[in-house]
Amino acid sequence: MLQPVMDGKGLRRRATYDDLLQVPDHLVAEIIDGVLYTSPRPAFRHSRAGSKLGMDLAPFDESGGELGGWWILDEPELHFGSDVVVPDLAGWRVERMPELPDVTFSTLAPDWVCEVLSPSTARLDRDKKLGVDGRVHVRHLWLLDPIAKTLEVLVLVGSRWTLQTTYRDNERVRAVPFDAIEIEMAGLWAEARTTPARR
């Protein structure tokens, strides 16, 4: 949701990081092109999809994954000039970020971003945040929609996002840059599984 920021004369002004810090903790706050956007914390279905995807990508994480080579984080705060964004998941190749820094935000663009779409954030994720990610040369971007049960895989070609493929429902996924493993999309959706009763 766009949050207009006003000056002392009642005129709209560019949002600053101080404005972002005034936003209540129960909201996610971002600044894009000088405009403050807030959104509610994700619903459980969306949290589950993002968390499960992060678990599926654990083999790539440098903190002990068998494939290694990446730092993968949930909801990192990223500062690019005056823009402040918080993707649902982001990953940096270790060759670009040799050590995980002890900071509260990063100015180094990730190599991969995943946004978990919801009705309240999909427009912002698809429009404004895609523009920011393209400007700072994020190479790979995934859009995960737990309601539509889709995963869109985009690659930055030059300065434009190109849709590489869209996976649907319960397909098995091998998607760049993590195509060394197969992800079962069925595990991302928050659906009850029936198990035999224990005797």
Side-chain angles (χ1 to χ4, degrees):
M1 173 189 298
L2 186 150
Q3 297 289 325
V5 177
M6 306 302 214
D7 66 12
K9 299 177 183 177
L11 301 173
R12 183 179 278 184
R13 65 171 173 77
R14 291 181 66 82
T16 66
Y17 193 63
D18 285 337
D19 297 316
L20 184 146
L21 292 175
Q22 301 306 312
V23 174
D25 289 342
H26 69 279
L27 297 173
V28 177
E30 301 173 290
I31 299 173
I32 302 173
D33 297 328
V35 178
L36 178 64
Y37 295 89
T38 62
S39 55
R41 289 282 167 193
F44 275 21
R45 175 181 294 197
H46 298 82
S47 291
R48 163 66 182 180
S51 296
K52 182 64 171 73
L53 179 60
M55 289 187 278
D56 287 346
L57 297 177
F60 293 94
D61 192 77
E62 191 60 26
S63 60
E66 59 203 51
L67 297 172
W70 288 81
W71 299 112
I72 298 174
L73 301 177
D74 295 330
E75 296 188 342
E77 186 173 304
L78 308 176
H79 291 214
F80 306 127
S82 61
D83 292 327
V84 179
V85 293
V86 181
D88 292 298
L89 289 159
W92 289 260
R93 292 183 187 274
V94 169
E95 62 220 35
R96 290 186 58 242
M97 183 186 280
E99 294 182 4
L100 195 63
D102 185 17
V103 294
T104 57
F105 64 85
S106 176
T107 59
L108 179 64
D111 296 286
W112 167 82
V113 162
C114 178
E115 297 289 0
V116 182
L117 305 180
S118 70
S120 63
T121 65
R123 188 171 177 185
L124 180 63
D125 291 337
R126 287 185 178 280
D127 182 18
K128 302 291 186 184
K129 290 176 78 173
L130 241 63
V132 172
D133 291 332
R135 282 198 301 267
V136 299
H137 306 291
V138 173
R139 305 305 303 170
H140 303 276
L141 193 141
W142 293 6
L143 297 173
L144 181 64
D145 188 332
I147 296 175
K149 296 183 180 177
T150 59
L151 173 63
E152 298 169 65
V153 178
L154 295 93
V155 177
L156 192 67
V157 178
S159 61
R160 297 182 59 117
W161 287 109
T162 300
L163 178 64
Q164 187 177 54
T165 191
T166 300
Y167 295 95
R168 301 180 190 288
D169 300 316
N170 296 335
E171 288 187 75
R172 294 172 181 260
V173 173
R174 282 192 183 269
V176 293
F178 302 113
D179 49 341
I181 64 167
E182 186 174 78
I183 297 169
E184 293 190 30
M185 285 179 59
L188 304 177
W189 320 134
E191 296 176 342
R193 297 181 184 177
T194 56
T195 56
R198 291 188 176 186
R199 296 183 182 215

